[in-house]
Amino acid sequence: MKSVGISTDCAVSYNPKSSRAEEFINHEEILDTLEYAWANKSNTDLVDSILEKARKRRGLNHREAAVLLDCDLPEKEEGIYRLAEQIKRDFYGNRIVLFAPLYLSNYCVNSCVYCPYHAQNKHIKRKKLTQDEIRAEVIALQDMGHKRLALEAGEDPVNNPLDYILESIGTIYSTKHKNGAIRRVNVNIAATTVEDYTRLKDAGIGTYILFQETYHRESYEQLHPRGPKHDYAYHTEAMDRAMTGGIDDVGLGVLFGLELYRYELAGLLMHAEHLEAAFGVGPHTISVPRICPADDIDPGTFDNGISDEIFARLVAVIRLSVPYTGMIVSTRESKACRERALRLGISQLSGGSRTSVGGYVHPETEAENSAQFDVSDNRPLDEVVRWLMEMEHIPSFCTACYREGRTGDRFMSLCKSGQIQNCCQPNALMTLQEYLEDYASPATKALGEKLITTQVPAIPNEKVRCIVEKNLAAIGGGQRDFRF
C-alpha cells in the first residue's frame, strides 16, 4: 500500500457540515479511513454488515465504502458486484440517459499538467466558437438526435467570460431545426462566484458540473501550478457557492489516475456527504473519468493509473454508496469497459461525442487537433443506441425532471419514495420513439419499435400506460415533446 503524505495542521478536524474545504475534505480523516479499510479488508463479519446496510438501500459512508473497495475476499467481491447490479436495476431500471459534450472554447489561463488546454501548450490550435458556429454545432447535434448537452469551456476571463457562456446557452436553447431541440444544457465551467452561479441558474441550466480532479491538496496544487485553479479551497468549495446561488443539481467527479484511487474515493464520498449534511441534498451526478491520451499529454507520466478491474470496483462501490445519484461514463472509455460499467451502476452515457471545438460540423485532422482528450468509443450515436437496445437497455433522451422542476431535494424525495418510476420509464419510451421516428437508421428503428412493444405492457400504472400508448401513437403521427 502506497502511503499518502501532506503537510497539514493537525488541529483541523473533520466536519461534514463545515463550509471549509479542509474540514469537510479532511486529510487526516481520509488517512484514518484508508488505514481502517486496509486493516479490515478480510474482516468477513464487517464486510457482511456493510453489504447488509447497502442491501437496505441506505447508502454507505466513505469509511464503509473504503472497506468494500479494499475487500480481498473472493466470495464477497462477487457479492459487491451482484448487489451493485441489483441496486442499479431497482433505481434506474434498464434506462440509460444519453448526452453529448459541446466544447465552446479551448482558451485557458490555467496550467493544469494533465490537460492539453494548459496555457503553456503552444502547438494546440486555439479556437472559440462564434454564436453562428454554436448554432451550426447545435443543429449537427440535433440531427444526430441529441436533446441534452454538456457545455464545456476553458477558464479564460478575456476569451470565455460568463457573458459569453450565458449568450451561448441562449443560442443553444433557441436553436430549432426540423424536429430537433436541445431541452437541457448542463454546464461544466470553472469555479466562480455565488452571483455568477445565480446568473447561470437564471439562464436555465440543468446540472452544474465541476470535477475536483484530485481531493489530495498537495497533489492538487502541484497539478495546478499556476492560474486561478491553483486555489484548492476556492475550487473545492465551488459546489457550496453553486447551491447557495440557487443551483440545486450539481455533479461531482475526480480524474482517476492523478492520485491514489483509494484516497480519491474517500474524498469523493466525503464531498457527497458534505453536500447532504450542509444542503440536505447530495450530488445529482457523479462522473468517473480516467486520464487518457491527449495532445501534449502522456498518461504514462502519471503513476496512479488504474486497471479496468479497479475501475469496475470503483463504479460498483460508488453505486452502493449513493444509490440515488446518477453516474456518468464518457467516451474516454472503450465499448467493453462501458458495457461492464453500465451493469454495475452507470445511468448516463455520452454518445457520438466530439471533444474538439467545432468538431461536430468540421471533424478535425490530427494536425488540427483542438480536442481535450482522445475518444476511445468512436461509434456514432445511432450505433450506440442500437447497442444499448441489443443489451435490452432503453436509450433515454428524457429531460422532463429538469423542465418540470423535479430537481434537487424534490427529485431526491421522489427517487427515494420510488414515485419517480411513474415518470422515468414512460418518458424514456416516449423520447426513444421520437428518436426512432426522426433520426434512427432502419435497423435501429426496427429494433427500437420491438423494444417499446415489449416495455409498454410492463408499465405498472394502468392510467400511465394508457397515456403512454396514446402519446406513442401521436408521436408516430408527427407530434413531439410529451412528458410526465
Side-chain angles (χ1 to χ4, degrees):
M1 180 178 66
K2 182 179 177 181
S3 63
V4 183
I6 191 171
S7 300
T8 186
D9 181 355
C10 293
V12 174
S13 59
Y14 174 52
N15 179 4
K17 292 185 177 181
S18 172
S19 61
R20 298 176 60 199
E22 62 183 347
E23 293 183 351
F24 67 77
I25 306 292
N26 182 263
H27 178 68
E28 293 302 323
E29 170 64 20
I30 295 180
L31 294 187
D32 287 347
T33 293
L34 301 190
E35 183 177 349
Y36 173 81
W38 194 257
N40 286 282
K41 62 181 181 174
S42 303
N43 186 333
T44 302
D45 290 341
L46 178 61
V47 171
D48 281 342
S49 69
I50 295 172
L51 288 174
E52 182 58 29
K53 179 182 176 183
R55 195 170 287 112
K56 294 176 180 177
R57 315 309 193 252
R58 293 164 53 191
L60 303 175
N61 63 39
H62 62 277
R63 188 160 290 210
E64 293 162 337
V67 172
L68 295 189
L69 187 64
D70 281 349
C71 177
D72 61 358
L73 302 167
E75 69 279 10
K76 303 304 177 187
E77 293 181 54
E78 186 58 33
I80 291 168
Y81 290 130
R82 285 199 305 269
L83 184 55
E85 290 186 30
Q86 184 61 52
I87 289 177
K88 161 70 188 305
R89 287 193 298 270
D90 289 348
F91 283 103
Y92 291 93
N94 57 346
R95 303 180 308 280
I96 300 295
V97 172
L98 288 160
F99 73 96
L102 174 58
Y103 284 78
L104 300 184
S105 170
N106 62 4
Y107 284 93
C108 193
V109 298
N110 289 307
S111 298
C112 312
V113 303
Y114 52 82
C115 178
Y117 289 4
H118 67 84
Q120 285 68 45
N121 187 353
K122 302 302 182 185
H123 50 79
I124 192 172
K125 186 174 182 179
R126 302 289 177 176
K127 295 182 180 180
K128 173 186 174 180
L129 298 180
T130 65
Q131 297 306 308
D132 284 342
E133 289 170 332
I134 291 171
R135 195 170 292 107
E137 288 283 287
V138 170
I139 289 173
L141 284 157
Q142 290 173 352
D143 282 345
M144 292 166 60
H146 279 296
K147 307 295 184 188
R148 176 188 300 239
L149 301 184
L151 185 153
E152 316 270 353
E155 183 172 10
D156 187 322
V158 174
N159 288 293
N160 311 328
L162 186 66
D163 285 343
Y164 169 69
I165 302 297
L166 295 173
E167 183 182 9
S168 301
I169 293 170
T171 297
I172 293 167
Y173 278 136
S174 66
T175 300
K176 313 294 180 185
H177 178 65
K178 298 180 180 178
N179 285 330
I182 301 303
R183 299 169 180 167
R184 178 175 179 133
V185 178
N186 298 333
V187 174
N188 182 358
I189 61 170
T192 186
T193 64
V194 171
E195 292 74 20
D196 283 351
Y197 286 124
T198 299
R199 294 178 70 195
L200 284 168
K201 175 68 174 180
D202 292 343
I205 74 164
T207 304
Y208 173 68
I209 303 164
L210 185 67
F211 295 166
Q212 182 63 27
E213 321 301 358
T214 176
Y215 283 98
H216 189 281
R217 193 184 75 223
E218 185 175 286
S219 294
Y220 180 96
E221 291 171 350
Q222 292 172 354
L223 290 163
H224 307 92
R226 291 173 295 279
K229 197 170 179 178
H230 176 75
D231 189 334
Y232 173 86
Y234 188 76
H235 188 86
T236 310
E237 295 162 6
M239 293 308 188
D240 291 53
R241 296 192 299 277
M243 286 189 156
T244 301
I247 298 175
D248 47 8
D249 281 357
V250 298
L252 303 180
V254 295
L255 183 55
F256 286 105
L258 298 180
E259 187 47 78
L260 295 182
Y261 68 90
R262 302 171 68 248
Y263 192 102
E264 303 294 25
L265 177 76
L268 180 65
L269 293 180
M270 288 167 73
H271 202 166
E273 293 162 11
H274 160 66
L275 295 177
E276 185 77 43
F279 297 96
V281 58
H284 187 70
T285 58
I286 288 178
S287 298
V288 287
R290 286 191 283 182
I291 192 166
C292 65
D295 181 86
D296 200 44
I297 303 298
D298 177 7
T301 305
F302 306 94
D303 59 3
N304 291 302
I306 59 175
S307 66
D308 287 352
E309 189 58 41
I310 291 173
F311 181 75
R313 178 72 74 92
L314 284 164
V315 170
V317 171
I318 293 170
R319 173 48 63 217
L320 297 182
S321 302
V322 285
Y324 309 108
T325 296
M327 291 183 65
I328 300 174
V329 68
S330 76
T331 49
R332 288 174 180 264
E333 301 298 337
S334 68
K335 172 185 174 182
C337 187
R338 301 212 304 170
E339 188 167 322
R340 186 178 186 191
L342 284 171
R343 295 196 307 272
L344 295 175
I346 295 300
S347 58
Q348 294 189 28
L349 194 74
S350 55
S353 301
R354 296 288 183 271
T355 64
S356 55
V357 180
Y360 293 105
V361 174
H362 301 293
E364 292 183 330
T365 66
E366 186 173 344
E368 297 173 317
N369 188 31
S370 67
Q372 189 180 35
F373 59 87
D374 291 350
V375 171
S376 295
D377 188 345
N378 289 289
R379 294 173 296 167
L381 180 61
D382 186 80
E383 190 174 337
V384 172
V385 168
R386 188 164 63 252
W387 165 68
L388 289 173
M389 294 191 297
E390 287 169 349
M391 295 187 292
E392 299 185 342
H393 293 295
I394 301 174
S396 175
F397 297 87
C398 177
T399 59
C401 284
Y402 153 71
R403 299 165 76 202
E404 292 293 326
R406 295 190 292 263
T407 58
D409 57 356
R410 295 175 293 284
F411 172 83
M412 288 299 175
S413 63
L414 286 170
C415 189
K416 292 177 182 180
S417 69
Q419 294 301 311
I420 197 70
Q421 299 289 354
N422 293 324
C423 303
C424 291
Q425 194 86 347
N427 286 334
L429 293 172
M430 291 187 295
T431 58
L432 174 58
Q433 184 68 52
E434 286 186 343
Y435 176 83
L436 299 177
E437 293 290 340
D438 294 337
Y439 308 106
S441 65
T444 299
K445 184 174 182 180
L447 183 60
E449 289 175 342
K450 181 179 178 181
L451 177 67
I452 290 173
T453 299
T454 63
Q455 292 294 318
V456 170
I459 297 173
N461 185 301
E462 183 179 358
K463 182 178 180 181
V464 171
R465 186 168 62 251
C466 291
I467 294 172
V468 169
E469 290 172 343
K470 178 182 177 182
N471 290 348
L472 289 172
I475 292 169
Q479 296 184 54
R480 296 292 179 270
D481 201 12
F482 296 98
R483 63 183 185 269
F484 286 91

